Every structure is written in structure tokens, then in C-alpha cells.
Amino acid sequence: GASLLSLATIHSSCPQALPMIGVPALARAQFCRTAELLMLAASNPALPAVGSLHVGVVESVVTYGAFCSLEGQPGRDGLLHVSHIDPSGGRVEAAEDALAVGDRVRVRVTSVADGKISLSCRGVQQGGDAPAAWRLWTPSHVLGSPPTARTLEGLECVVLSYSRSSGAGGQAVNKLSTKCEARLCVAHSPWPDAVKARLLQLGGATRGGELLAVSDRHRTQAANRKDALEKLAALVADAWRPPKVRRQRSGLSERGKRQRRDEKRRTSEKKRGRSEGRRGLYEARRKVLVAAAALSLSVPRLGVPAGAAEAGAEAEAGSARQAGARREPVVPWGPFKGLEEGDIDALEAASLAPDAGYTLPCGSRVIDLVVGTGPQPRRGDVVYCQYKVWAGGFRAGPVADWTYYDGRPYGWTLGTATERIPAPVDEAVRAGMREGGWRRLVVPAAYGEAGLRRINYLKGGGRYTPAKAGFAIRPQEVAYFDLVMLDGGSGRCDRLLRPQGVAEADATRLRSKLCMPGDVSTDGPRLV
């Protein structure tokens, strides 16, 4: 090996020397490769083994750690991370608070990867320019293990005193000085100042800077003395090691704040979309109610003579066709036949007057916007109505109940109150309302003491009330009903929604908002 290294040195300094010595060409090529490996090994000594102990000198200090040169390893520097500086396991926030350039450290190699050496501290010998806050810290290899009860008994700072134990007496009981009190004077203890400071911070320290441990549970003095010293040793052990500094969250980072702002913006846009959709839903409700009364009848309206609106609408439509203009068609159905949106708005505005309509003996106020001309139902007839209920007034606030979400008008036997149609509403419907009519009701205490809970609607029709739902209409609160009667006993809705030969369970799946043959469907295939 020494000869090869010598030849390698000759070859590196004078490549023409090998042919002069008479080395063959093939052997010369193999030798050159071996020489390169030997020169590389000579210039790069072996990396330290993982787990080996070394002594290093701090060359530079940064926030996240310190770079140390290892003695006996020239050209080898290792990183002592800030989380591995305190030998006792405590946390150091910044390396500048613990180490300074020139400090000698005893380290252990924790990992070696890609030529990078990671270190952990086993002890520190402070230099002259060490930070003042760190000089009070004593490494664990200097502190050693906490003192035991036997060690405390031999210290001058620990004073033992004895007295009679308290409690019930008896034969040879509480007549001797068996109670032991062990006092530790912290200021005169031989331990570092940091340990003394932590001892004084304990809850059992007196104003004079003493720790007191008392024992009288044994009958002998020796047993109580041992017990008192063990209690004192446990207090010292608790303050022996510096507590680990828990890293607490000081607040949101800039990235977290940005994510929170983005999430709040998305939530705001979602809620804005809901409100816009709800306003559109209110408007759609009005148009659907118009379409729901699909009856080919001539109906008198408030302030509109029978047939006048239809004749005017037909005349306007004819003149528009002659002029070639495109106009919005009027509603061609039942109580709303011939009415444009402006006419409907005028009727609704008239119904909001405080003196509109008349009051029944039960206290309900009845407002007929459109008087139907179909059959008038009697007690015991099955009627079907599209209706909507509010708590704060017509078209005021959220809807408490709405048959539009059911996908079909609500049917009940007239004269029999139901959960959805309370008795005052049933009585107001029996008071002269005809098929094809549009009526509004102001009903005080409509739902009585029970009130009306909030309803959740299912997609495709259906509804349910959660067990702990709040009130949509509170007990004894006034309710505002808007009803359109689609079937007043003629059976037009009953024949479509409860056809013969169809089971009751299947009939409940039928959906029809207009009660017209072409509008009946189910959740699945179309039936009609």
C-alpha cells in the first residue's frame, strides 16, 4: 500500500514517469484507476460513525442552530440544531440564546447523510462571550442525578427536628417524639442558581426560602425520618431539571389569514346566491300559483266585471297580431284568465289594506281576490288547494308552509281539521269559497298552543319536521294564508292524484301542481 501510494504520488506529479519505469500499458491503466481511488481516500478521511462522541468548537451561530468543527476531523463540520442544544431535553427558541462562537461542546453524531453531519449536544463549556442568560444554565452531565433521601440527610442545609405525633393516644402511643420535620434551606444548598430558583417557585416554599416536609404516619422515629426525607427528595427532583418550553401558537400566519379570508369570501358568495335564489323563488311562487288554477271558467274579480278582462285581452291580442308586434301572452287559466302581471299586483296590493275583506265569527278575516265560479264544496267533500303561509304578513319574511314544495296540492276532507289545515282555516274555506277562487286569510292563533315547527322539504317532493326544530309560527301567533282552490268537490284533482286501480302508497308518489292530465308524473316514470 505504501508503494502504491508512492507510485500514485509520482504519477500525479509526473504522468510520464510510469512508462520510463517500464510498466505495461494495461497494468498502467489499472494502476491509474487505483491511484485515483487512493488519492481520493487520502484527501477525504472517513466520516464519523453515527453514535460516536466528539468534541467540537462553535464556528458560527444562526437562529436555527450552530455549526461546529470536530476535533480530529479536519474539514468536517456538523450542524447542532436548535432542538438538540439543551442536553436536558428543554426547548431553546434561538441558538443565539444558548451558544456563542468559541464555545466548546461535547456532541454525539446523530446522522450522516450525503456528507452532512447532524449533532446533538451532550454538554457545553462556555466561552468568555457566552450569552448572560445561558450562563445560568448547567448541562445535565454537570448536574447529574437529583439527590436521594440518603444524600439529603448528610447536607448541612437540611435540618431535622422531632416532636410528639398528634391524634388519639393509648398505651405507648404518642408518648415519644416520633414525628419528623425536614427543613431545606434553599439559599444554603450546594446546587446551581437555576435549581434554587426553581425550588423557590414550588408551592411548598415558605417566606424564608425553606422547603418543609413532615411525616407522622409511622410509629417509629426512623421510619418517619426516612419518609420525610423521601418527600423532600421528591420536591427537589421536581425542580432539578429545567421544564420543557412548550411552543404555543401565537396567532395565525399570513397564509392562514389569507385562507380564512378566501373561505369567508366563498361563504359570503354562497349566502348571496341563496338570497338571490330565494327572491327568485318568491317570484316563481306567484307565477306557479297563477298556473295552478288551470280552470276554463269565466270568473268575476274584485273591481273587474265578468268577461271584461277576457274581451279586452282578446282585443289587444288581435290588434297586436295585426300590427305584427310580439307581446307577452296573458294567463289563459281559470281565476287568472286574462290577467296580466300588473293586474295581479294590483289585486295583491288591494288585499293588504287594513279594512279589506270581512271578518268571520271565529275571528278570521277573509279577503277574496278572485271569486271562483266552480262548485261550492260542502262539509264532507274532499277539496284540494295550493296554499302558502307566512308569520309576519303576506309575502313578508320566510315561508312557514308551502304546498309547492310537495309537488301537488294539499287535499283534505272539508269540516275535518288536519295538522296542516287548522280548524279556523277549514271554517274560513267553508265560508263560501268556490272552486277556482283565490282567497287570503288572516287567522289569529291559527295553530293554537302547539304552533308550527320549521319544515324541511325533500328534493322531488316530500317534507319532514326535525325533532328539535324551531318555530316557524309561534304559539298563539297570527298566521297569513294564501289559498287557491283547484278542486271544490268536482273531483278533477281526486281523479288524477288518486286514480282507481292504483294503490294508496303509489298514489302518494303522484305529482301535479296544476291538476291537469298532461302535468301528472311520479318520481320515476311518467304515468299519464
Side-chain angles (χ1 to χ4, degrees):
S3 301
L4 285 175
L5 186 58
S6 300
L7 290 175
T9 306
I10 295 173
H11 174 68
S12 63
S13 59
C14 184
Q16 296 80 11
L18 290 179
M20 296 178 183
I21 297 175
V23 179
L26 180 60
R28 186 167 63 248
Q30 296 176 352
F31 170 77
C32 291
R33 177 58 181 164
T34 305
E36 292 176 358
L37 295 176
L38 288 174
M39 294 295 293
L40 182 62
S43 60
N44 295 298
L47 294 171
V50 176
S52 58
L53 296 176
H54 300 271
V55 176
V57 179
V58 178
E59 299 294 342
S60 62
V61 182
V62 292
T63 303
Y64 58 87
F67 291 93
C68 306
S69 61
L70 305 181
E71 294 184 357
Q73 300 284 335
R76 297 294 184 189
D77 291 344
L79 174 62
L80 181 58
H81 196 265
V82 64
S83 60
H84 296 153
I85 290 180
D86 191 346
S88 62
R91 182 174 180 83
V92 179
E93 295 297 333
E96 295 94 338
D97 300 336
L99 297 174
V101 176
D103 288 348
R104 292 171 59 84
V105 291
R106 188 168 178 264
V107 295
R108 180 188 296 274
V109 179
T110 57
S111 65
V112 178
D114 299 331
K116 299 179 181 180
I117 305 173
S118 298
L119 309 172
S120 63
C121 183
R122 314 302 297 174
V124 179
Q125 181 181 351
Q126 301 287 3
D129 55 348
W134 194 251
R135 292 193 187 116
L136 297 177
W137 173 72
T138 304
S140 58
H141 77 281
V142 177
L143 276 176
S145 301
T148 61
R150 185 180 296 274
T151 305
L152 291 177
E153 189 175 4
L155 296 179
E156 296 181 357
C157 59
V158 178
V159 179
L160 302 175
S161 59
Y162 305 95
S163 61
R164 292 184 179 181
S165 299
S166 60
Q171 184 176 1
V173 178
N174 297 340
K175 295 181 179 180
L176 302 176
S177 298
T178 57
K179 179 181 178 181
C180 179
E181 294 183 0
R183 292 179 178 269
L184 170 62
C185 183
V186 178
H188 295 86
S189 61
W191 305 313
D193 293 342
V195 178
K196 294 179 181 179
R198 290 193 289 271
L199 283 172
L200 293 176
Q201 292 176 358
L202 294 177
T206 63
R207 294 182 179 180
E210 294 180 342
L211 290 178
L212 178 62
V214 181
S215 177
D216 59 353
R217 59 180 181 176
H218 301 286
R219 287 195 175 189
T220 61
Q221 187 182 92
N224 286 330
R225 178 174 63 250
K226 181 181 179 181
D227 186 39
L229 290 173
E230 288 178 351
K231 291 181 180 180
L232 199 60
L235 293 176
V236 176
D238 291 341
W240 193 253
R241 303 295 182 194
K244 291 186 178 181
V245 179
R246 300 296 180 185
R247 191 172 186 179
Q248 297 182 355
R249 183 177 178 181
S250 57
L252 290 176
S253 62
E254 290 298 327
R255 180 181 178 184
K257 293 178 181 178
R258 185 169 59 255
Q259 291 177 349
R260 185 180 180 186
R261 288 194 297 268
D262 294 343
E263 183 65 25
K264 292 180 70 175
R265 186 185 69 253
R266 287 192 293 269
T267 303
S268 177
E269 292 175 355
K270 184 188 298 184
K271 291 184 177 180
R272 190 182 305 114
R274 290 174 182 171
S275 61
E276 292 175 356
R278 191 178 296 113
R279 286 194 294 271
L281 202 59
Y282 291 158
E283 184 65 21
R285 192 277 319 169
R286 186 175 61 80
K287 294 182 179 180
V288 169
L289 282 179
V290 171
L295 303 173
S296 301
L297 302 172
S298 177
V299 182
R301 290 169 292 274
L302 288 177
V304 182
E310 291 84 344
E314 292 176 359
E316 291 180 4
S319 60
R321 284 193 299 270
Q322 293 176 0
R326 298 183 61 185
R327 295 178 59 85
E328 291 293 332
V330 295
V331 181
W333 305 306
F336 305 99
K337 184 177 180 181
L339 286 179
E340 295 183 352
E341 293 188 3
D343 300 329
I344 297 175
D345 293 337
L347 291 175
E348 289 187 340
S351 69
L352 299 179
D355 55 347
Y358 56 93
T359 304
L360 298 176
C362 64
S364 301
R365 185 155 59 95
V366 178
I367 307 169
D368 282 318
L369 283 77
V370 174
V371 179
T373 57
Q376 181 176 348
R378 299 178 181 178
R379 182 187 294 270
D381 292 343
V382 178
V383 297
Y384 287 84
C385 289
Q386 291 277 15
Y387 72 86
K388 193 172 184 180
V389 187
W390 296 271
F394 297 110
R395 284 197 182 187
V399 181
D401 191 6
W402 191 8
T403 54
Y404 175 75
Y405 282 131
D406 298 339
R408 55 187 287 169
Y410 181 71
W412 80 99
T413 302
L414 198 63
T416 304
T418 66
E419 183 181 2
R420 298 180 63 175
I421 300 294
V425 177
D426 178 79
E427 182 179 349
V429 172
R430 284 189 283 118
M433 189 172 185
R434 292 177 174 271
E435 184 176 308
W438 179 13
R439 175 173 288 189
R440 283 185 169 181
L441 306 175
V442 180
V443 185
Y447 294 94
E449 294 292 342
L452 179 63
R453 300 280 182 176
R454 291 194 180 95
I455 302 168
N456 289 357
Y457 296 95
L458 302 176
K459 185 177 181 181
R463 50 194 278 149
Y464 72 96
T465 300
K468 297 183 179 180
F471 284 103
I473 297 180
R474 298 183 177 278
Q476 302 298 331
E477 188 176 8
V478 178
Y480 296 81
F481 283 78
D482 190 323
L483 302 99
V484 173
M485 183 177 289
L486 302 184
D487 186 348
S490 64
R492 57 185 305 272
C493 290
D494 202 51
R495 286 192 298 269
L496 294 176
L497 298 179
R498 298 177 64 183
Q500 295 182 358
V502 178
E504 186 68 23
D506 295 333
T508 57
R509 300 177 60 234
L510 296 174
R511 301 286 182 265
S512 176
K513 296 183 178 67
L514 307 177
C515 282
M516 298 183 68
D519 186 50
V520 180
S521 63
T522 65
D523 298 336
R526 189 176 180 87
L527 298 181
V528 180

